[in-house]
Amino acid sequence: MRAARPLLRLAVAALLLAGFLPATARAQAGAPAQGPGLAAHGDPKYPADFTHFAYANPDAPKGGELRQAVVGSFDTLNAFIIGGQTDQVRLIVPPYNFASLMTRGWDEPFTLYPYVADRVEVSDDRLTVIFHLNPKAVFHDGTPLTADDVIFSWQTQGTKGRPNTRSLYEEMAGIDRVDDRTVRFRFKPGIAREDPLVVALQPILSKAWYTAHAFDQPSLDPPLGAGPYTIGAVDAGRSITLNRVKDWWGENLPAMKGLYNFDRMRFDFYLDADTALEAFKAGAYNWRRELSAEKWTDGNYDFPAVQDGRVTLLTLPQYRSVGMMGFAMNTRRPIFADPRVRRALVLAFDFDWVNKTLLGGQYKRDDSFFANSALAATDTPKGAELKLLDPFRAQLPPQLFSEAYTLPVSDGSGRNRENLRAAQALLAEAGWTIKDNALVDAGGAPFRFEILLQNKSYQRVALAYADQLRRLGIPASIRLVESAQYANRVGSYDFDMILNTWITTLSPGVEQSGYWGSGSADVPGTRNYPGVKSPVVDAMIKAVTSADSQEDLQTAVHALDRVLLWGNYVVPLYYLDRDYIAYWGDLGRVTTVNPTYGTVLESWWSNAK
């Protein structure tokens, strides 16, 4: 998935598309697609006459304010370019302030439903997509949203925007204005099968507004959009307030009914997670997703407002693929170039001790790049997956075909002796030896590196890892930096190792090229932080994006997962298979449905009078 709606749960999402339009959802050029939705694989869940998503309450009252915390900072509201502190802004401004041609349903793997486009036509070869725009769609200043705005959005973001948008634009053969309310996208042969869906999720810009405002520069000017909220008060680096658009043109669309119920949404920025938690306990904001299980279970949430019922605590299941969280080794650095060295560093992380001692035993090991889903590779490759991988046998470790990839386990004592011995043996094979208690190469140069962090809450885990590395003769230093410096260094790949989470979905696609593709390894601003350059990985990503059935998709993702795991590009950490939520006051939500991707915050409402 290229992009996901923000629900700060995605991060957590986020959020990233994949797949293609199945035969039942395709149409010959000039004929409407079947039903209201376009599914990546299979059929849409909702029929043509659906009135609202199951997780939304069409009678939800409008009103009240939802306040959330964001860890980090910002110095721009322009989320579409590389430049400035934009990571958190991308989770707030585009999905709430802007509208897109179609929108996602969150209780199925990946299906889009009408938004600005009330009808879509897709040619059987997927090279032509025609969107018919809803005549009610207008920008916040009342001006109509037209085909010219859609075309301008792609021409501008495709030439001046972020790398993933530019790469998709390069795959287009042309964009045509059929009439004021109709736009045709033409693609070059060989595109990823998900590309028509990615086009439908891109935020639509106002051509008139951006004619008077520079697109390619950071700016705190609130941009003009057509979404459910406008940008209100902005305190640079501190807070962003969104105001609900009264009589919004899209309010009664089936895919919007019962969503976006709060009159105001405020996002307060904090420098670290601990400060944000204390602010919540003091009532500074009213809705929080706790990402730390140890904080949830160690008494942090046993405060007076919980005890007397003013604060409600929820533990909710989630069934989304959690992706991969791990220490990323920058293979652009020579010390991480050898896969034996990378495997040794994987062996050195003592998850069992960390989980028991630092994390309250609440976590599962992140043993896949698609963990918590059926997309995770298991056992050894067989059948269609083996057929996919076999042509690359000479370029892959022999064990990939005969052994299941496993992560080291320990007795939880913190000694980790067996794994450290195995790591030391691999380092020796790679030419590293111990001299005067230090690991050095043949020329006597020491093996040392820095772990760069932005979030203080991960410092304990990094310190525990550094302690294990010290026993191998590796002095790993830890540097905690503020968000602007971190963004600059990570965006230019100026680091040895970072802790990162790669968000994925149940329908992964071309975003995998930005994560792991050779073409993204040297492009600033991508998420290929390890600098993966592997023709085998590239081939597996191609298989993922060209899969024409759910079965083929799963086969290709298993193969990609397996190749990445055996490449040992990251030191896998851990994940939760549930969401922890705390909130102040009387908030409502649909309780009869647990969406696949977890609770949908946009469907909540305030019961306050």
Side-chain angles (χ1 to χ4, degrees), residues 237-257:
R238 295 177 179 272
S239 69
I240 298 173
T241 299
L242 306 177
N243 297 320
R244 186 172 65 86
V245 178
K246 305 296 174 63
D247 300 319
W248 178 48
W249 70 268
E251 184 172 325
N252 292 312
L253 294 174
M256 298 294 158
K257 192 71 174 176

Side-chain angles (χ1 to χ4, degrees), residues 196-246:
L197 287 84
V198 177
V199 163
L201 282 180
Q202 194 70 16
I204 301 172
L205 312 180
S206 164
K207 180 178 180 180
W209 194 87
Y210 279 97
T211 299
H213 298 78
F215 171 83
D216 56 357
Q217 298 296 321
S219 173
L220 288 170
D221 290 337
L224 179 66
Y229 287 87
T230 59
I231 299 174
V234 176
D235 187 353
R238 295 177 179 272
S239 69
I240 298 173
T241 299
L242 306 177
N243 297 320
R244 186 172 65 86
V245 178
K246 305 296 174 63

Side-chain angles (χ1 to χ4, degrees), residues 235-520:
D235 187 353
R238 295 177 179 272
S239 69
I240 298 173
T241 299
L242 306 177
N243 297 320
R244 186 172 65 86
V245 178
K246 305 296 174 63
D247 300 319
W248 178 48
W249 70 268
E251 184 172 325
N252 292 312
L253 294 174
M256 298 294 158
K257 192 71 174 176
L259 303 181
Y260 306 110
N261 301 309
F262 295 97
D263 278 349
R264 289 173 304 283
M265 297 187 71
R266 174 166 167 156
F267 300 85
D268 294 323
F269 286 70
Y270 295 86
L271 293 179
D272 61 77
D274 291 337
T275 303
L277 173 57
E278 293 306 312
F280 175 78
K281 293 159 78 170
Y285 58 98
N286 62 347
W287 195 95
R288 175 177 174 82
R289 170 173 282 109
E290 179 54 70
L291 302 178
S292 168
E294 58 273 26
K295 283 188 172 65
W296 190 259
T297 59
D298 67 2
N300 271 287
Y301 285 86
D302 185 20
F303 56 96
V306 173
Q307 297 164 1
D308 63 25
R310 288 176 293 155
V311 168
T312 301
L313 305 182
L314 297 175
T315 299
L316 301 176
Q318 57 86 0
Y319 311 100
R320 60 184 177 264
S321 171
V322 297
M324 169 63 75
M325 183 173 92
F327 287 114
M329 293 170 268
N330 188 353
T331 64
R332 303 171 188 84
R333 301 284 204 255
I335 61 169
F336 298 124
D338 193 316
R340 293 170 296 185
V341 169
R342 300 197 298 268
R343 177 61 180 176
L345 298 186
V346 172
L347 288 167
F349 183 72
D350 192 347
F351 166 75
D352 299 281
W353 183 86
V354 167
N355 191 36
K356 181 179 73 172
T357 307
L358 303 181
L359 306 178
Q362 299 295 306
Y363 290 83
K364 295 185 176 181
R365 188 73 192 269
D366 208 337
D367 57 357
S368 165
F369 288 85
F370 306 90
N372 199 45
S373 78
L375 297 175
T378 58
D379 197 19
T380 55
K382 298 179 177 64
E385 185 191 352
L386 180 60
K387 184 177 180 180
L388 189 60
L389 289 168
D390 201 57
F392 304 96
R393 188 178 287 266
Q395 302 173 60
L396 293 168
Q399 304 97 308
L400 180 148
F401 295 93
S402 59
E403 302 175 17
Y405 184 86
T406 58
L407 290 170
V409 297
S410 74
D411 61 7
S413 67
R415 290 185 291 271
N416 203 25
R417 289 172 180 168
E418 184 176 342
N419 293 325
L420 291 177
R421 279 197 293 268
Q424 195 169 41
L426 285 171
L427 290 168
E429 285 182 23
W432 296 90
T433 56
I434 295 291
K435 183 178 181 181
D436 297 329
N437 295 319
L439 190 69
V440 297
D441 64 13
F447 191 114
R448 60 177 57 171
F449 63 89
E450 177 185 85
I451 303 174
L452 186 69
L453 296 177
Q454 178 188 7
N455 193 329
K456 187 173 70 174
S457 62
Y458 292 124
Q459 199 166 16
R460 291 189 307 160
V461 174
L463 286 169
Y465 184 38
D467 181 64
Q468 295 291 309
L469 293 169
R470 179 182 54 78
R471 302 181 190 196
L472 291 173
I474 300 173
S477 60
I478 297 168
R479 177 172 296 186
L480 185 68
V481 299
E482 50 84 26
S483 57
Q485 183 181 354
Y486 185 85
N488 289 334
R489 289 189 58 180
V490 169
S492 60
Y493 312 121
D494 179 21
F495 63 87
D496 299 327
M497 179 181 283
I498 60 171
L499 191 156
N500 189 66
T501 299
W502 288 267
I503 300 296
T504 189
T505 73
L506 296 172
S507 192
V510 295
E511 85 286 348
Q512 300 299 313
S513 294
Y515 289 174
W516 320 113
S518 299
S520 66

